[in-house]
Each structure stands twice: as structure tokens, then as C-alpha cells.
Amino acid sequence: MFGSLGAVTLLVSAVLGQGFATPKANGTSGYELKQGPLDTPWTEKVGTTPWPEYPRPQMARSEWRNLNGVWQYRNASGGESEMERPPFRQELESSVLVPFCLESALSGVMGNYTIHSWYRTTFNVPDSWTERVLLNFAAVDYQATVFVNEKQVANHTGGYWAFNIDITDQLNKNGTNELVVFVFDPTNLWPYNVPIGKQKLIPEHIFYTPCSGIWQTVWLESAPADSIEKLHINAGADGKVDITVHTTSNTTTTADFILYEPNSELVKLKIKVPVNKAHSFVVDSPQLWSPDSPTLYNITVKLGSDAVQSYTGFRTISKGVVNGVQRPLLNGEFVFMFGTLDQGYWPDGLHSPPSFDAMVSDLKVLKEVGYNMVRKHIKVEPALFYQAADQLGLMLIQDMPALSTSSVFINDETAKQCPGVSLTPSLDPDTVQKEFDRQLAVMVNQLKSYPSIVTWVIYNEGWGQPWEGNDGVRNTSIDGILTDYVRKIDPTRLIDSVTGWHDHGAGDFYDNHHYSSPQCGTPWYSTPSSPYNSETDHRIAIQGEFGGIGQNVSEEHAWKVAASINAINNTYELDATPKIWNLRAHMILQELEFQIQEYACSGAVWTQTTDVEGEVNGMLTYDRRVNRMDKDMWRRDIQGLYEAAARRARTNGTMGVEGRGGGGG
């Protein structure tokens, strides 16, 4: 049926999806791709009908219409007061390409300080649609107020999360409909403190150009009034399937569940499952999902006249003691997790990859040299990213986007001056924490059916970890409270409560960050970490970040922004040439191999997949045109890590790793 990478997407989009773009209106400037600081090989190929693929592969419907394309845009310089004067039936002055961040070149706006914005487009509903019409947004950063035909239909908060609205009652079914969206995105504007990851209004070295507005696909779909709202599916290595079919009503009826053989239309299992409550059943002798064999099973769920396509993979993530060491287990076996820190930034689209093919190319580069894991770093990706990881066989460590680490104060109404000030946001800390907690739950619920996700990360290096009062003492209880909170929502994954410091002993991992050399499960350490002691800390030892070695690039491949270029020397280590970069990587990976063999190291995260703005420590340059890796060396060294982990699982170490031959250069 769907089989190979991208097949679900390609099948659905080829049969059902037609790109839609609002033509240039009188008084509206036409869309024009901006000249940004850097582009990619995909930039010029985007055109005006971007991301035509069906965007929600785990709950795909047959009747849909893509609304990506050229919309009208206006910077709402009047701020929130403009909400009182929506631009209904007005042509806005500029064009914007949806779904790309307003600050990006691909958007055609390439704005700065786009705190308040208006979007406008028109659409028609196909005559063949006789049931309810749902309007879907895959992600809008940060707060979206949505109007259809001059009626407010939604107000959504959270820059990374999908939402949909039943707009049937607001439609002009026999004519053109108007869609207007007001977006408020404070990023790190004082006094707000919201989950933003690495976005900053004033970028600086490890903090990057922000992303505002509609940055993932917008689409319409047709569904009956009593329809499937969400699917939560987990399939274990023992064949047990846990499923909850959420519906738009409180019905207690049943839905038809059909499971197909892998890469086939042959039905393996067909049963009825109750809706709106958890249900379990067992599938006989499933083929298991793993990085070496990422087998997936396609699924159809039917409720009355509603039918959605989905998929799952049978695997179990757990932990257990192997030869005296606490280990992560995949399908009951210790699998050493080795991946990159994956920022997911693009020079042409920022948060938005220019295309599906571009996004997947990053993952294929990693898989090619033997990485079996990716740490998705304080960002959430489009749903098709997670499907690609499922299909390629890449385990995912998924971070919760972090709260702001500092604020800026805009003292000019035109936002032309925006001095950076390290201020503590004045919003009530309890309010900030409650909203962070709410969005943490949204993340887990939105992503928990993807087989590739093996671990949730709550806090990165203490960013956003609350303090107790003004005495400078970290809140030592919140880590444990949130760990239990996430575990209750999803008991099937491991939890890394705090990757890096300030660790209070919660969660399943002891996670150390150290550049450039690793300190993975070792008795030596650098503050603010501490030595790992397997006798007293019964958690899994992992190197959450390390490496970080950089190699400067020519102007052709650099992010051509003076502040970013000036920050390159802040890189942990700079190597003169790609050859030296590979040699240093080889030396560092051999050190990691020793720690795996002798101590308790169970996984590691190399920084990073690509360069990002002023950071030049990627496997790839920011424009994705240069791959720094000596691929043969990286394959040998990565395989060496896996072999060392297998030896350590059988022995108590050898106090000296035998040479494997080969080398860098």
C-alpha cells in the first residue's frame, strides 16, 4: 500500500491534493522571493504552491484541499488594538507565501519584529463536499485568532501545535469564502515568557532568527458530523496494541480497525474497537520496528461514513540492567543510541524546511553513515518529519521547546530599535509554569503515536527550570513532578527530565553535556555536572551533547550576517580544514568508544546535523551544499561505537580498547 519513504504522502497528495494560491489582487503587491543571507539547493524550486503533500500522515482523510500558497499580508503595527478593526473584505498591501516564517526569505516578507500580523486569503469549498468542513492549521507561531467570513471561529495559543476548526456553519457554500488570521508572536519580548526554543528577536550565536506566523501547512478537509477527532496508537514488541479512537461526539459505539500486512494491501487483522476509551488487543507474530528493520503496518479506521488512514510500528522502549549497567532497551535488547543534535533550521525558510525532499535529505545524510538516532533539539517539526524518521529507522529523542532565557524591551513604536536587555519577564512565574506544563502535555499527546520517538526531554540545560523564591536555589521538586506528569500521559517512553545541568535525580537518564570531549557515564566530570556512580545512581548514563568542533566555511556557504560571522570564533573548537575536522572527530569518537567499553555510557548526541547561522559545527554547512564528513571514516567510527557497546554488554570492560585500524583524515 504505502511501503517506502514518502509513499503515504505521495499517494494521498497525488490523488486528492491540489495546491491553492490566491491570485494577485488589485492593490496587493505580487509575491517575490527575497534575497536572504543564504539559500539552499531547494530555494528556487519552491514556487508558489509549496508543501503539496498531505500534512497529517497518521490520520489522513481522502477529501482535502491544500490552502498553502500566496496569501495577502499586513504588519499590524497598531498592535493588539488592531483586533478591533479586522481587515474584512480589504485587500492587504503585501503578499506572503504560506507556510513560511514571516522573517524568512521564502515568505516574501523577510520581516523584523513581526509581533502582530494580519493574513488574508479566499477559498472555495468543492461542490462534492456534502458533510462538515474542517479548517486545519499544522502550526502558527505564536497565538492565532481566526476569522471566517467575518466571524471569529478560533483563538489558539502555542507556536508548535496543530489545531482545527469546524467552519461549516460560517461558510458561503456556493461562493467564495474569506479567511483572515491575526497572529501575535512575542518571541522573547518583555514581559512575555513562552516556549520558543532557540528563537530570539536579536539573534546571537546559539540563538537564532525567530519564526513568526503560519509556518506549517493550512488545509481544508471534509468529514461527517460524527467523525474521528484523534487517534492514539501504541504497538508493543509483544504484539499488544493500545488504541484510543477519539471522536467528535460522546458516542459509545465502535469503529472498524483494519491492520494490513507490511508493504501490502492484504488484511492481517480486522476487528471492532470501542471509541472514546482506551482499548487493547494482541496481534500475532508482528515484525518488529528497529533502526535496522523499520517495519511499519498501515491501518484504516472507519467510523460510520468517516475513514482515516494511519500506521504504526511494533516496538517496546524500556530500561533494564545489562551486565550490571542500567541500559535503554529496544524490544528488550540494549541498543546504543548515537545521533546528532538536530536544530531543524533552514537559511531560506528558518523553521520551515523549503520542501519535504529537503527536510528528509538531512535525515538520509545521517542514516547513510550509521547514525541510529536524532535528538530533535527544543523544536517540534512538521508531522511528515516524524513519519520520515519512522520509515528510515531513526530513533528520536524529542525535546520540549524551551522557555525564554532573556528578554528584549522594544521602546520604539515602529519597532526599529530593539535593544537587548537581560530582564526577568514580569509575568507571574506560576502562570508561566502552568502554560509550559499545558503545552508540554500538548506535545506528548500530539506526537506519542510515532514509533520512532523513544524519549521525551522536559528541560534543556535548565533553560526555564523554575527557581524557588529569590534565594538562588533551584526548585528540586518540579523535575520529578513533571516527570510523573509526562509518564502519566505516555507510560511507553523513557523520560530525560533535564538534559545537561541542573540535574536533581529525576527521570530515566543521567545526562551530561561536555564540549568537545565526552564525559559519558564516567567517574570524571566538569561542573556543573557530577561523576556518574552506577552504585548510587540507577539511571541510564548518556552524553546529551558533545563534539561541537567547527570548521569555518567560505563566504559562499556562510550566513551573511555580520553579527553571526563575528560569533564564529565562539565555537568550542575551530579546525583549520575539513581534513583536520575529520581527524579531530575521529579522536573524539575514539575517546567516546573507550568510555563505552569501560564505563556506563549508553548513548551520545554529537553537535550537530548542520551549521546554523553563526555556528559552523555541523556535519553539513547551513546551505546543505557541503558535507564535511569523510563518510568511510564516520561509518567505521560509528560502527565501532556499536561494537564497543555490544562488548561492554557482555563483559565488565577491558581497561583498554583494542585498535580497529583505519582512521581519519
Side-chain angles (χ1 to χ4, degrees), residues 491-509:
T492 71
R493 264 82 170 205
L494 302 175
I495 300 173
D496 192 344
S497 302
V498 183
T499 175
W501 52 88
H502 303 271
D503 177 32
H504 299 116
D508 298 309
F509 292 90

Side-chain angles (χ1 to χ4, degrees), residues 130 154 176 226 244 281 327 412 421 497 558 661:
T130 59
T176 299
D226 189 6
T244 305
F281 56 89
R327 300 294 194 184
D412 185 322
V421 183
S497 302

Side-chain angles (χ1 to χ4, degrees), residues 8-9 226 342 376 397 502 592:
V8 173
T9 299
D226 189 6
D342 196 73
K376 178 42 61 182
I397 295 176
H502 303 271
L592 178 65

Side-chain angles (χ1 to χ4, degrees), residues 89-269:
R89 291 178 290 173
Q90 299 176 30
E91 294 174 0
L92 307 187
E93 297 80 2
S94 303
S95 292
V96 60
L97 186 61
V98 171
F100 293 105
C101 309
L102 291 172
E103 294 85 350
S104 73
L106 277 169
S107 73
V109 176
M110 209 162 74
N112 289 312
Y113 315 124
T114 50
I115 309 298
H116 300 89
S117 301
W118 285 110
Y119 287 81
R120 179 180 179 271
T121 192
T122 57
F123 64 90
N124 296 316
V125 175
D127 293 337
S128 59
W129 290 12
T130 59
E131 300 187 282
R132 309 298 290 180
V133 176
L134 307 179
L135 172 63
N136 295 269
F137 292 84
V140 183
D141 198 355
Y142 172 72
Q143 189 173 73
T145 305
V146 183
F147 303 86
V148 174
N149 294 329
E150 304 185 25
K151 296 179 181 178
Q152 181 175 328
V153 294
N155 184 276
H156 179 267
T157 298
Y160 301 90
W161 324 122
F163 64 100
N164 64 53
I165 315 132
D166 185 334
I167 60 171
T168 312
D169 297 338
Q170 283 73 46
L171 291 177
N172 300 319
K173 292 189 178 179
N174 297 319
T176 299
N177 298 278
E178 181 184 50
L179 171 59
V180 173
V181 183
F182 183 78
V183 179
F184 168 58
D185 182 19
T187 310
N188 63 320
L189 173 68
W190 187 86
Y192 302 95
N193 193 357
V194 302
I196 56 172
K198 286 201 167 183
Q199 303 178 67
K200 272 198 175 182
L201 288 169
I202 305 176
E204 50 174 319
H205 193 41
I206 66 168
F207 297 98
Y208 317 130
T209 304
C211 173
S212 300
I214 300 170
W215 68 278
Q216 291 187 33
T217 292
V218 186
W219 78 101
L220 300 172
E221 61 186 346
S222 177
D226 189 6
S227 61
I228 298 165
E229 188 174 41
K230 287 183 293 186
L231 289 178
H232 287 149
I233 302 173
N234 179 73
D238 58 358
K240 182 185 176 186
V241 177
D242 299 312
I243 182 171
T244 305
V245 180
H246 301 270
T247 71
T248 53
S249 67
N250 292 322
T251 179
T252 56
T253 186
T254 59
D256 292 323
F257 177 95
I258 305 169
L259 184 76
Y260 300 92
E261 296 284 1
N263 304 312
S264 170
E265 295 186 25
L266 295 175
V267 174
K268 182 176 179 64
L269 177 72

